[in-house]
Amino acid sequence: MIGAGVIGVAIARELKRRYGGRVLVIEKEDVAGWHASGRNSGVLHTGVYYTAGSLKARLCVEGNRRMRDYCRANRIPMVDKGKVIVTRHEGELPALHELYKRSQANGVRVSLIDQQALREVEPCATTVDRALFVQDTAVVNPQKVMETMVAEAAREGVEFRHGCAWRGAGDDGLVDTSQGRIAYGHLVNCAGLFADRVAHAYGVGTQYRILPFRGQFYLLRPQSRVRVNGNIYPVPDLRNPFLGVHFTRRPEGEVTVGPSALPLLGREQYRGLQGANVSDGSAMVRYLVRLFGRNLDHFRSLAWKELAKMSRRGFYREAKGLADGLELRDLLPGKEPGIRAQLVNTRTAELLNDFVMEHGPKSTHVLNAVSPAFTSSLPFAEYVVNAMKLDR
Ligand SMILES: Cc1cc2nc3c(=O)[nH]c(=O)nc-3n(C[C@H](O)[C@H](O)[C@H](O)COP(=O)(O)OP(=O)(O)OC[C@H]3O[C@@H](n4cnc5c(N)ncnc54)[C@H](O)[C@@H]3O)c2cc1C
């Protein structure tokens, strides 16, 4: 297994439980969950957004139920206050009603509520006409989930080798790593931001490339007049893969405001230009030019919106329509950013919305474990293991 993010750990655990044998996870960092799995919003999504019948819808609905049970069983603190999705102008009402329909088709517990009922759930949230209340949305600290899952997998016999980076495909049945060659019977690629590079080395998924987008968060000043019980989300533009800036109360008590989705010039460009490189940078610029030119996925409006969020004022403009009383000074720097590994089809320049998995003769490659893959990780792992072509 390559990668100790939530997907790699969940699959390793599932493989060990189902087949026994030796399961080894190599991870280039010193700890598990160092990237997206430990730096996300920690929201356990419910399946409101996804079209009925999509893999995301199915695995998210089940994943929400299973992850909430998992957190309760393992005493992982959780904010279990649901979420509201609010409209900022009348033009968003059709999309709000579409979300209501999708929720019902996916079996998610939601209700359409008016401003008065909204205030009972979230006293500072504001909406035009109606809002959606989503009962089963919860929030966890993703690092706590990772620590628990890794400890459990290790107890059950999964081996973890940290500081061990996959370097190349090597000869048949061997991988080259930073700690020498390792033999394998079946290789599972859960390398997140690098999953496309690994897959290409096995001749798999060559039509895809990963584009990195940074999600920046602010912390709400504790003295702010804005009170948040659970989550306040905007109606997203359903043509784009991002959900927009939202308020989220974390189990530790603070409230995050974010994330943005800034296109990057490097897969691990967490700060400024650190981590930017020519290969990733030129790929991103090429795709941005293509997407911009063709206005794919309404990319132009998305791009302008995201660029505006590079400044605190732009971020504030995006967030202030969700809750009364927000002031610019309420947005404090704080939470570590996370980087989203977004798959693009290089032939069509289309950003892929659903989870994607591909197989080689002795390998399985998880290529688009985008949000809500954290929520969905437990059934997602079962889905991947069911589909694996193992020589046994
Ligand atoms: C800002 C942000 C907010 C999000 N919010 C939510 C949310 O609220 N709810 C939700 O459900 N989802 C959310 N997500 C999505 C979620 O975090 C991801 O879908 C999920 O974490 C993906 O897990 P992963 O294991 O595929 O990737 P990762 O966590 O990135 O793990 C991949 C691992 O592979 C390792 N690796 C890479 N290359 C190599 C190599 N060559 N050798 C060895 N190891 C390697 C990396 O070091 C890393 O640890 C969010 C994501 C972001 C970025």
Side-chain angles (χ1 to χ4, degrees), residues 280-313:
D280 289 340
S282 57
M284 180 59 97
V285 170
R286 259 197 328 271
Y287 288 113
L288 289 183
V289 168
R290 249 176 109 187
L291 292 167
F292 212 80
R294 293 165 58 183
N295 199 12
L296 273 176
D297 290 314
H298 302 264
F299 195 77
R300 281 186 208 165
S301 66
L302 175 70
W304 289 125
K305 256 187 170 177
E306 291 306 325
L307 283 175
K309 278 185 246 161
M310 282 182 78
S311 76
R312 190 161 72 123
R313 191 168 284 283

PDB file of all heavy atoms in Angstrom, residues 280-313:
ATOM      1  N   ASP A 280       4.778  20.979 -12.233  1.00  0.00           N
ATOM      2  CA  ASP A 280       3.399  21.180 -11.777  1.00  0.00           C
ATOM      3  C   ASP A 280       2.873  22.545 -12.218  1.00  0.00           C
ATOM      4  O   ASP A 280       1.710  22.683 -12.606  1.00  0.00           O
ATOM      5  CB  ASP A 280       3.314  21.097 -10.244  1.00  0.00           C
ATOM      6  CG  ASP A 280       3.525  19.678  -9.740  1.00  0.00           C
ATOM      7  OD1 ASP A 280       3.358  18.735 -10.530  1.00  0.00           O
ATOM      8  OD2 ASP A 280       3.858  19.518  -8.553  1.00  0.00           O
ATOM      9  N   GLY A 281       3.762  23.543 -12.133  1.00  0.00           N
ATOM     10  CA  GLY A 281       3.344  24.906 -12.461  1.00  0.00           C
ATOM     11  C   GLY A 281       2.935  25.015 -13.911  1.00  0.00           C
ATOM     12  O   GLY A 281       1.885  25.574 -14.228  1.00  0.00           O
ATOM     13  N   SER A 282       3.756  24.432 -14.815  1.00  0.00           N
ATOM     14  CA  SER A 282       3.409  24.594 -16.228  1.00  0.00           C
ATOM     15  C   SER A 282       2.148  23.788 -16.540  1.00  0.00           C
ATOM     16  O   SER A 282       1.315  24.219 -17.337  1.00  0.00           O
ATOM     17  CB  SER A 282       4.575  24.214 -17.136  1.00  0.00           C
ATOM     18  OG  SER A 282       4.955  22.892 -16.870  1.00  0.00           O
ATOM     19  N   ALA A 283       1.964  22.627 -15.871  1.00  0.00           N
ATOM     20  CA  ALA A 283       0.737  21.851 -16.107  1.00  0.00           C
ATOM     21  C   ALA A 283      -0.481  22.659 -15.668  1.00  0.00           C
ATOM     22  O   ALA A 283      -1.477  22.745 -16.384  1.00  0.00           O
ATOM     23  CB  ALA A 283       0.793  20.534 -15.336  1.00  0.00           C
ATOM     24  N   MET A 284      -0.388  23.274 -14.487  1.00  0.00           N
ATOM     25  CA  MET A 284      -1.530  24.042 -13.994  1.00  0.00           C
ATOM     26  C   MET A 284      -1.833  25.200 -14.936  1.00  0.00           C
ATOM     27  O   MET A 284      -2.979  25.429 -15.314  1.00  0.00           O
ATOM     28  CB  MET A 284      -1.242  24.541 -12.568  1.00  0.00           C
ATOM     29  CG  MET A 284      -2.351  25.354 -11.956  1.00  0.00           C
ATOM     30  SD  MET A 284      -3.933  24.466 -11.842  1.00  0.00           S
ATOM     31  CE  MET A 284      -3.910  23.872 -10.157  1.00  0.00           C
ATOM     32  N   VAL A 285      -0.788  25.924 -15.349  1.00  0.00           N
ATOM     33  CA  VAL A 285      -1.020  27.085 -16.214  1.00  0.00           C
ATOM     34  C   VAL A 285      -1.659  26.631 -17.528  1.00  0.00           C
ATOM     35  O   VAL A 285      -2.629  27.220 -18.009  1.00  0.00           O
ATOM     36  CB  VAL A 285       0.307  27.854 -16.453  1.00  0.00           C
ATOM     37  CG1 VAL A 285       0.144  28.910 -17.540  1.00  0.00           C
ATOM     38  CG2 VAL A 285       0.778  28.492 -15.150  1.00  0.00           C
ATOM     39  N   ARG A 286      -1.153  25.514 -18.095  1.00  0.00           N
ATOM     40  CA  ARG A 286      -1.734  25.000 -19.351  1.00  0.00           C
ATOM     41  C   ARG A 286      -3.221  24.728 -19.189  1.00  0.00           C
ATOM     42  O   ARG A 286      -4.030  25.098 -20.022  1.00  0.00           O
ATOM     43  CB  ARG A 286      -1.040  23.684 -19.711  1.00  0.00           C
ATOM     44  CG  ARG A 286      -0.003  23.833 -20.780  1.00  0.00           C
ATOM     45  CD  ARG A 286       0.401  22.531 -21.443  1.00  0.00           C
ATOM     46  NE  ARG A 286       0.373  21.325 -20.652  1.00  0.00           N
ATOM     47  CZ  ARG A 286       1.385  20.855 -19.922  1.00  0.00           C
ATOM     48  NH1 ARG A 286       2.504  21.536 -19.861  1.00  0.00           N
ATOM     49  NH2 ARG A 286       1.268  19.720 -19.255  1.00  0.00           N
ATOM     50  N   TYR A 287      -3.590  24.053 -18.076  1.00  0.00           N
ATOM     51  CA  TYR A 287      -5.003  23.690 -17.885  1.00  0.00           C
ATOM     52  C   TYR A 287      -5.853  24.905 -17.594  1.00  0.00           C
ATOM     53  O   TYR A 287      -6.975  25.000 -18.079  1.00  0.00           O
ATOM     54  CB  TYR A 287      -5.155  22.623 -16.800  1.00  0.00           C
ATOM     55  CG  TYR A 287      -4.661  21.321 -17.320  1.00  0.00           C
ATOM     56  CD1 TYR A 287      -3.529  20.723 -16.801  1.00  0.00           C
ATOM     57  CD2 TYR A 287      -5.294  20.719 -18.404  1.00  0.00           C
ATOM     58  CE1 TYR A 287      -3.037  19.556 -17.320  1.00  0.00           C
ATOM     59  CE2 TYR A 287      -4.810  19.549 -18.937  1.00  0.00           C
ATOM     60  CZ  TYR A 287      -3.678  18.969 -18.389  1.00  0.00           C
ATOM     61  OH  TYR A 287      -3.194  17.818 -18.925  1.00  0.00           O
ATOM     62  N   LEU A 288      -5.297  25.832 -16.838  1.00  0.00           N
ATOM     63  CA  LEU A 288      -6.081  27.031 -16.537  1.00  0.00           C
ATOM     64  C   LEU A 288      -6.390  27.773 -17.836  1.00  0.00           C
ATOM     65  O   LEU A 288      -7.509  28.214 -18.060  1.00  0.00           O
ATOM     66  CB  LEU A 288      -5.323  27.945 -15.566  1.00  0.00           C
ATOM     67  CG  LEU A 288      -5.205  27.443 -14.127  1.00  0.00           C
ATOM     68  CD1 LEU A 288      -4.502  28.473 -13.259  1.00  0.00           C
ATOM     69  CD2 LEU A 288      -6.563  27.126 -13.528  1.00  0.00           C
ATOM     70  N   VAL A 289      -5.384  27.880 -18.710  1.00  0.00           N
ATOM     71  CA  VAL A 289      -5.589  28.578 -19.978  1.00  0.00           C
ATOM     72  C   VAL A 289      -6.661  27.847 -20.788  1.00  0.00           C
ATOM     73  O   VAL A 289      -7.582  28.448 -21.330  1.00  0.00           O
ATOM     74  CB  VAL A 289      -4.258  28.677 -20.763  1.00  0.00           C
ATOM     75  CG1 VAL A 289      -4.485  29.133 -22.196  1.00  0.00           C
ATOM     76  CG2 VAL A 289      -3.303  29.611 -20.035  1.00  0.00           C
ATOM     77  N   ARG A 290      -6.570  26.511 -20.822  1.00  0.00           N
ATOM     78  CA  ARG A 290      -7.556  25.728 -21.578  1.00  0.00           C
ATOM     79  C   ARG A 290      -8.958  25.883 -21.000  1.00  0.00           C
ATOM     80  O   ARG A 290      -9.926  26.130 -21.708  1.00  0.00           O
ATOM     81  CB  ARG A 290      -7.177  24.248 -21.495  1.00  0.00           C
ATOM     82  CG  ARG A 290      -6.691  23.694 -22.830  1.00  0.00           C
ATOM     83  CD  ARG A 290      -6.252  22.299 -22.647  1.00  0.00           C
ATOM     84  NE  ARG A 290      -7.164  21.345 -23.260  1.00  0.00           N
ATOM     85  CZ  ARG A 290      -7.047  20.033 -23.120  1.00  0.00           C
ATOM     86  NH1 ARG A 290      -6.085  19.524 -22.377  1.00  0.00           N
ATOM     87  NH2 ARG A 290      -7.886  19.224 -23.717  1.00  0.00           N
ATOM     88  N   LEU A 291      -9.041  25.712 -19.683  1.00  0.00           N
ATOM     89  CA  LEU A 291     -10.355  25.790 -19.031  1.00  0.00           C
ATOM     90  C   LEU A 291     -10.921  27.200 -19.134  1.00  0.00           C
ATOM     91  O   LEU A 291     -12.105  27.398 -19.384  1.00  0.00           O
ATOM     92  CB  LEU A 291     -10.244  25.392 -17.552  1.00  0.00           C
ATOM     93  CG  LEU A 291      -9.922  23.928 -17.294  1.00  0.00           C
ATOM     94  CD1 LEU A 291      -9.526  23.716 -15.843  1.00  0.00           C
ATOM     95  CD2 LEU A 291     -11.099  23.034 -17.636  1.00  0.00           C
ATOM     96  N   PHE A 292     -10.052  28.166 -18.987  1.00  0.00           N
ATOM     97  CA  PHE A 292     -10.488  29.552 -19.038  1.00  0.00           C
ATOM     98  C   PHE A 292     -11.022  29.873 -20.442  1.00  0.00           C
ATOM     99  O   PHE A 292     -12.100  30.434 -20.602  1.00  0.00           O
ATOM    100  CB  PHE A 292      -9.290  30.450 -18.716  1.00  0.00           C
ATOM    101  CG  PHE A 292      -9.680  31.695 -18.012  1.00  0.00           C
ATOM    102  CD1 PHE A 292      -9.925  31.673 -16.659  1.00  0.00           C
ATOM    103  CD2 PHE A 292      -9.808  32.893 -18.694  1.00  0.00           C
ATOM    104  CE1 PHE A 292     -10.293  32.828 -15.985  1.00  0.00           C
ATOM    105  CE2 PHE A 292     -10.173  34.042 -18.030  1.00  0.00           C
ATOM    106  CZ  PHE A 292     -10.415  34.012 -16.676  1.00  0.00           C
ATOM    107  N   GLY A 293     -10.255  29.442 -21.444  1.00  0.00           N
ATOM    108  CA  GLY A 293     -10.628  29.718 -22.831  1.00  0.00           C
ATOM    109  C   GLY A 293     -11.963  29.093 -23.182  1.00  0.00           C
ATOM    110  O   GLY A 293     -12.793  29.695 -23.859  1.00  0.00           O
ATOM    111  N   ARG A 294     -12.206  27.904 -22.687  1.00  0.00           N
ATOM    112  CA  ARG A 294     -13.426  27.186 -23.073  1.00  0.00           C
ATOM    113  C   ARG A 294     -14.546  27.367 -22.057  1.00  0.00           C
ATOM    114  O   ARG A 294     -15.636  26.855 -22.232  1.00  0.00           O
ATOM    115  CB  ARG A 294     -13.101  25.700 -23.238  1.00  0.00           C
ATOM    116  CG  ARG A 294     -12.175  25.491 -24.431  1.00  0.00           C
ATOM    117  CD  ARG A 294     -11.551  24.125 -24.432  1.00  0.00           C
ATOM    118  NE  ARG A 294     -12.561  23.078 -24.450  1.00  0.00           N
ATOM    119  CZ  ARG A 294     -12.286  21.781 -24.394  1.00  0.00           C
ATOM    120  NH1 ARG A 294     -11.046  21.396 -24.307  1.00  0.00           N
ATOM    121  NH2 ARG A 294     -13.234  20.884 -24.426  1.00  0.00           N
ATOM    122  N   ASN A 295     -14.267  28.087 -20.981  1.00  0.00           N
ATOM    123  CA  ASN A 295     -15.252  28.349 -19.928  1.00  0.00           C
ATOM    124  C   ASN A 295     -15.868  27.058 -19.403  1.00  0.00           C
ATOM    125  O   ASN A 295     -17.043  27.017 -19.042  1.00  0.00           O
ATOM    126  CB  ASN A 295     -16.352  29.301 -20.431  1.00  0.00           C
ATOM    127  CG  ASN A 295     -17.094  29.928 -19.261  1.00  0.00           C
ATOM    128  OD1 ASN A 295     -16.664  29.829 -18.110  1.00  0.00           O
ATOM    129  ND2 ASN A 295     -18.212  30.570 -19.541  1.00  0.00           N
ATOM    130  N   LEU A 296     -15.057  25.982 -19.402  1.00  0.00           N
ATOM    131  CA  LEU A 296     -15.569  24.693 -18.947  1.00  0.00           C
ATOM    132  C   LEU A 296     -15.958  24.754 -17.486  1.00  0.00           C
ATOM    133  O   LEU A 296     -15.276  25.407 -16.700  1.00  0.00           O
ATOM    134  CB  LEU A 296     -14.493  23.628 -19.126  1.00  0.00           C
ATOM    135  CG  LEU A 296     -14.458  22.965 -20.485  1.00  0.00           C
ATOM    136  CD1 LEU A 296     -13.288  22.016 -20.537  1.00  0.00           C
ATOM    137  CD2 LEU A 296     -15.745  22.251 -20.807  1.00  0.00           C
ATOM    138  N   ASP A 297     -17.020  24.057 -17.138  1.00  0.00           N
ATOM    139  CA  ASP A 297     -17.496  24.018 -15.755  1.00  0.00           C
ATOM    140  C   ASP A 297     -17.655  25.431 -15.181  1.00  0.00           C
ATOM    141  O   ASP A 297     -17.445  25.651 -13.996  1.00  0.00           O
ATOM    142  CB  ASP A 297     -16.541  23.226 -14.851  1.00  0.00           C
ATOM    143  CG  ASP A 297     -16.586  21.755 -15.151  1.00  0.00           C
ATOM    144  OD1 ASP A 297     -17.692  21.218 -15.282  1.00  0.00           O
ATOM    145  OD2 ASP A 297     -15.519  21.171 -15.276  1.00  0.00           O
ATOM    146  N   HIS A 298     -17.949  26.332 -16.035  1.00  0.00           N
ATOM    147  CA  HIS A 298     -18.118  27.741 -15.622  1.00  0.00           C
ATOM    148  C   HIS A 298     -16.880  28.189 -14.868  1.00  0.00           C
ATOM    149  O   HIS A 298     -16.919  28.843 -13.845  1.00  0.00           O
ATOM    150  CB  HIS A 298     -19.406  27.925 -14.856  1.00  0.00           C
ATOM    151  CG  HIS A 298     -20.551  27.489 -15.701  1.00  0.00           C
ATOM    152  ND1 HIS A 298     -21.281  28.357 -16.443  1.00  0.00           N
ATOM    153  CD2 HIS A 298     -21.012  26.259 -15.991  1.00  0.00           C
ATOM    154  CE1 HIS A 298     -22.166  27.676 -17.147  1.00  0.00           C
ATOM    155  NE2 HIS A 298     -22.013  26.397 -16.878  1.00  0.00           N
ATOM    156  N   PHE A 299     -15.786  27.783 -15.468  1.00  0.00           N
ATOM    157  CA  PHE A 299     -14.506  27.936 -14.806  1.00  0.00           C
ATOM    158  C   PHE A 299     -14.123  29.391 -14.588  1.00  0.00           C
ATOM    159  O   PHE A 299     -13.493  29.740 -13.605  1.00  0.00           O
ATOM    160  CB  PHE A 299     -13.446  27.218 -15.631  1.00  0.00           C
ATOM    161  CG  PHE A 299     -12.191  27.024 -14.866  1.00  0.00           C
ATOM    162  CD1 PHE A 299     -12.104  26.032 -13.923  1.00  0.00           C
ATOM    163  CD2 PHE A 299     -11.111  27.859 -15.063  1.00  0.00           C
ATOM    164  CE1 PHE A 299     -10.952  25.865 -13.183  1.00  0.00           C
ATOM    165  CE2 PHE A 299      -9.955  27.692 -14.335  1.00  0.00           C
ATOM    166  CZ  PHE A 299      -9.881  26.698 -13.400  1.00  0.00           C
ATOM    167  N   ARG A 300     -14.555  30.243 -15.536  1.00  0.00           N
ATOM    168  CA  ARG A 300     -14.129  31.651 -15.401  1.00  0.00           C
ATOM    169  C   ARG A 300     -14.657  32.282 -14.132  1.00  0.00           C
ATOM    170  O   ARG A 300     -13.911  32.911 -13.398  1.00  0.00           O
ATOM    171  CB  ARG A 300     -14.620  32.447 -16.601  1.00  0.00           C
ATOM    172  CG  ARG A 300     -13.756  32.237 -17.791  1.00  0.00           C
ATOM    173  CD  ARG A 300     -14.175  33.147 -18.893  1.00  0.00           C
ATOM    174  NE  ARG A 300     -13.835  32.506 -20.142  1.00  0.00           N
ATOM    175  CZ  ARG A 300     -14.290  32.870 -21.314  1.00  0.00           C
ATOM    176  NH1 ARG A 300     -15.145  33.850 -21.407  1.00  0.00           N
ATOM    177  NH2 ARG A 300     -13.910  32.239 -22.392  1.00  0.00           N
ATOM    178  N   SER A 301     -15.958  32.094 -13.860  1.00  0.00           N
ATOM    179  CA  SER A 301     -16.513  32.745 -12.664  1.00  0.00           C
ATOM    180  C   SER A 301     -15.863  32.151 -11.421  1.00  0.00           C
ATOM    181  O   SER A 301     -15.554  32.848 -10.459  1.00  0.00           O
ATOM    182  CB  SER A 301     -18.031  32.590 -12.623  1.00  0.00           C
ATOM    183  OG  SER A 301     -18.365  31.238 -12.453  1.00  0.00           O
ATOM    184  N   LEU A 302     -15.619  30.834 -11.466  1.00  0.00           N
ATOM    185  CA  LEU A 302     -14.972  30.173 -10.326  1.00  0.00           C
ATOM    186  C   LEU A 302     -13.579  30.757 -10.111  1.00  0.00           C
ATOM    187  O   LEU A 302     -13.183  31.098  -8.997  1.00  0.00           O
ATOM    188  CB  LEU A 302     -14.879  28.667 -10.599  1.00  0.00           C
ATOM    189  CG  LEU A 302     -14.117  27.849  -9.568  1.00  0.00           C
ATOM    190  CD1 LEU A 302     -14.900  27.772  -8.271  1.00  0.00           C
ATOM    191  CD2 LEU A 302     -13.845  26.438 -10.074  1.00  0.00           C
ATOM    192  N   ALA A 303     -12.835  30.907 -11.221  1.00  0.00           N
ATOM    193  CA  ALA A 303     -11.454  31.392 -11.118  1.00  0.00           C
ATOM    194  C   ALA A 303     -11.423  32.800 -10.516  1.00  0.00           C
ATOM    195  O   ALA A 303     -10.626  33.081  -9.623  1.00  0.00           O
ATOM    196  CB  ALA A 303     -10.796  31.383 -12.489  1.00  0.00           C
ATOM    197  N   TRP A 304     -12.299  33.690 -10.977  1.00  0.00           N
ATOM    198  CA  TRP A 304     -12.303  35.061 -10.437  1.00  0.00           C
ATOM    199  C   TRP A 304     -12.626  35.055  -8.950  1.00  0.00           C
ATOM    200  O   TRP A 304     -12.021  35.762  -8.153  1.00  0.00           O
ATOM    201  CB  TRP A 304     -13.296  35.955 -11.181  1.00  0.00           C
ATOM    202  CG  TRP A 304     -12.853  36.283 -12.576  1.00  0.00           C
ATOM    203  CD1 TRP A 304     -13.555  36.075 -13.725  1.00  0.00           C
ATOM    204  CD2 TRP A 304     -11.589  36.846 -12.980  1.00  0.00           C
ATOM    205  NE1 TRP A 304     -12.813  36.470 -14.815  1.00  0.00           N
ATOM    206  CE2 TRP A 304     -11.597  36.951 -14.391  1.00  0.00           C
ATOM    207  CE3 TRP A 304     -10.447  37.265 -12.293  1.00  0.00           C
ATOM    208  CZ2 TRP A 304     -10.528  37.456 -15.112  1.00  0.00           C
ATOM    209  CZ3 TRP A 304      -9.371  37.760 -13.015  1.00  0.00           C
ATOM    210  CH2 TRP A 304      -9.425  37.851 -14.414  1.00  0.00           C
ATOM    211  N   LYS A 305     -13.632  34.227  -8.595  1.00  0.00           N
ATOM    212  CA  LYS A 305     -14.045  34.161  -7.190  1.00  0.00           C
ATOM    213  C   LYS A 305     -12.887  33.694  -6.315  1.00  0.00           C
ATOM    214  O   LYS A 305     -12.635  34.222  -5.244  1.00  0.00           O
ATOM    215  CB  LYS A 305     -15.177  33.134  -7.048  1.00  0.00           C
ATOM    216  CG  LYS A 305     -16.539  33.727  -6.895  1.00  0.00           C
ATOM    217  CD  LYS A 305     -17.492  32.608  -6.606  1.00  0.00           C
ATOM    218  CE  LYS A 305     -18.851  33.118  -6.207  1.00  0.00           C
ATOM    219  NZ  LYS A 305     -19.796  32.052  -6.004  1.00  0.00           N
ATOM    220  N   GLU A 306     -12.198  32.655  -6.781  1.00  0.00           N
ATOM    221  CA  GLU A 306     -11.110  32.102  -5.975  1.00  0.00           C
ATOM    222  C   GLU A 306      -9.935  33.061  -5.876  1.00  0.00           C
ATOM    223  O   GLU A 306      -9.304  33.168  -4.841  1.00  0.00           O
ATOM    224  CB  GLU A 306     -10.666  30.746  -6.531  1.00  0.00           C
ATOM    225  CG  GLU A 306     -11.700  29.647  -6.364  1.00  0.00           C
ATOM    226  CD  GLU A 306     -12.185  29.477  -4.924  1.00  0.00           C
ATOM    227  OE1 GLU A 306     -11.386  29.660  -3.982  1.00  0.00           O
ATOM    228  OE2 GLU A 306     -13.384  29.188  -4.737  1.00  0.00           O
ATOM    229  N   LEU A 307      -9.640  33.759  -6.988  1.00  0.00           N
ATOM    230  CA  LEU A 307      -8.538  34.728  -6.944  1.00  0.00           C
ATOM    231  C   LEU A 307      -8.852  35.835  -5.942  1.00  0.00           C
ATOM    232  O   LEU A 307      -7.985  36.272  -5.185  1.00  0.00           O
ATOM    233  CB  LEU A 307      -8.289  35.310  -8.338  1.00  0.00           C
ATOM    234  CG  LEU A 307      -7.528  34.367  -9.274  1.00  0.00           C
ATOM    235  CD1 LEU A 307      -7.422  34.961 -10.670  1.00  0.00           C
ATOM    236  CD2 LEU A 307      -6.127  34.073  -8.731  1.00  0.00           C
ATOM    237  N   ALA A 308     -10.127  36.239  -5.910  1.00  0.00           N
ATOM    238  CA  ALA A 308     -10.525  37.305  -4.974  1.00  0.00           C
ATOM    239  C   ALA A 308     -10.264  36.866  -3.534  1.00  0.00           C
ATOM    240  O   ALA A 308      -9.935  37.680  -2.673  1.00  0.00           O
ATOM    241  CB  ALA A 308     -12.001  37.643  -5.171  1.00  0.00           C
ATOM    242  N   LYS A 309     -10.389  35.566  -3.280  1.00  0.00           N
ATOM    243  CA  LYS A 309     -10.225  35.075  -1.902  1.00  0.00           C
ATOM    244  C   LYS A 309      -8.761  34.999  -1.449  1.00  0.00           C
ATOM    245  O   LYS A 309      -8.475  34.570  -0.340  1.00  0.00           O
ATOM    246  CB  LYS A 309     -10.880  33.699  -1.769  1.00  0.00           C
ATOM    247  CG  LYS A 309     -12.381  33.801  -1.545  1.00  0.00           C
ATOM    248  CD  LYS A 309     -12.983  32.453  -1.303  1.00  0.00           C
ATOM    249  CE  LYS A 309     -13.914  32.065  -2.420  1.00  0.00           C
ATOM    250  NZ  LYS A 309     -14.180  30.643  -2.489  1.00  0.00           N
ATOM    251  N   MET A 310      -7.846  35.395  -2.340  1.00  0.00           N
ATOM    252  CA  MET A 310      -6.443  35.420  -1.916  1.00  0.00           C
ATOM    253  C   MET A 310      -6.248  36.505  -0.858  1.00  0.00           C
ATOM    254  O   MET A 310      -5.328  36.453  -0.059  1.00  0.00           O
ATOM    255  CB  MET A 310      -5.528  35.686  -3.102  1.00  0.00           C
ATOM    256  CG  MET A 310      -5.330  34.441  -3.941  1.00  0.00           C
ATOM    257  SD  MET A 310      -4.229  34.758  -5.290  1.00  0.00           S
ATOM    258  CE  MET A 310      -2.644  34.720  -4.451  1.00  0.00           C
ATOM    259  N   SER A 311      -7.110  37.520  -0.876  1.00  0.00           N
ATOM    260  CA  SER A 311      -6.992  38.572   0.150  1.00  0.00           C
ATOM    261  C   SER A 311      -8.034  38.322   1.238  1.00  0.00           C
ATOM    262  O   SER A 311      -9.081  37.730   0.977  1.00  0.00           O
ATOM    263  CB  SER A 311      -7.218  39.951  -0.472  1.00  0.00           C
ATOM    264  OG  SER A 311      -8.603  40.135  -0.715  1.00  0.00           O
ATOM    265  N   ARG A 312      -7.733  38.823   2.444  1.00  0.00           N
ATOM    266  CA  ARG A 312      -8.658  38.641   3.568  1.00  0.00           C
ATOM    267  C   ARG A 312      -9.985  39.346   3.282  1.00  0.00           C
ATOM    268  O   ARG A 312     -11.051  38.860   3.608  1.00  0.00           O
ATOM    269  CB  ARG A 312      -8.016  39.198   4.837  1.00  0.00           C
ATOM    270  CG  ARG A 312      -8.789  38.839   6.091  1.00  0.00           C
ATOM    271  CD  ARG A 312      -7.926  38.996   7.306  1.00  0.00           C
ATOM    272  NE  ARG A 312      -7.705  40.403   7.588  1.00  0.00           N
ATOM    273  CZ  ARG A 312      -8.013  40.997   8.737  1.00  0.00           C
ATOM    274  NH1 ARG A 312      -8.548  40.298   9.706  1.00  0.00           N
ATOM    275  NH2 ARG A 312      -7.760  42.273   8.927  1.00  0.00           N
ATOM    276  N   ARG A 313      -9.886  40.502   2.582  1.00  0.00           N
ATOM    277  CA  ARG A 313     -11.106  41.255   2.286  1.00  0.00           C
ATOM    278  C   ARG A 313     -12.008  40.458   1.331  1.00  0.00           C
ATOM    279  O   ARG A 313     -13.223  40.410   1.477  1.00  0.00           O
ATOM    280  CB  ARG A 313     -10.734  42.610   1.673  1.00  0.00           C
ATOM    281  CG  ARG A 313     -11.896  43.560   1.580  1.00  0.00           C
ATOM    282  CD  ARG A 313     -11.425  44.970   1.248  1.00  0.00           C
ATOM    283  NE  ARG A 313     -10.825  45.661   2.374  1.00  0.00           N
ATOM    284  CZ  ARG A 313     -11.516  46.209   3.366  1.00  0.00           C
ATOM    285  NH1 ARG A 313     -12.838  46.136   3.367  1.00  0.00           N
ATOM    286  NH2 ARG A 313     -10.914  46.822   4.348  1.00  0.00           N
TER     287      ARG A 313
END
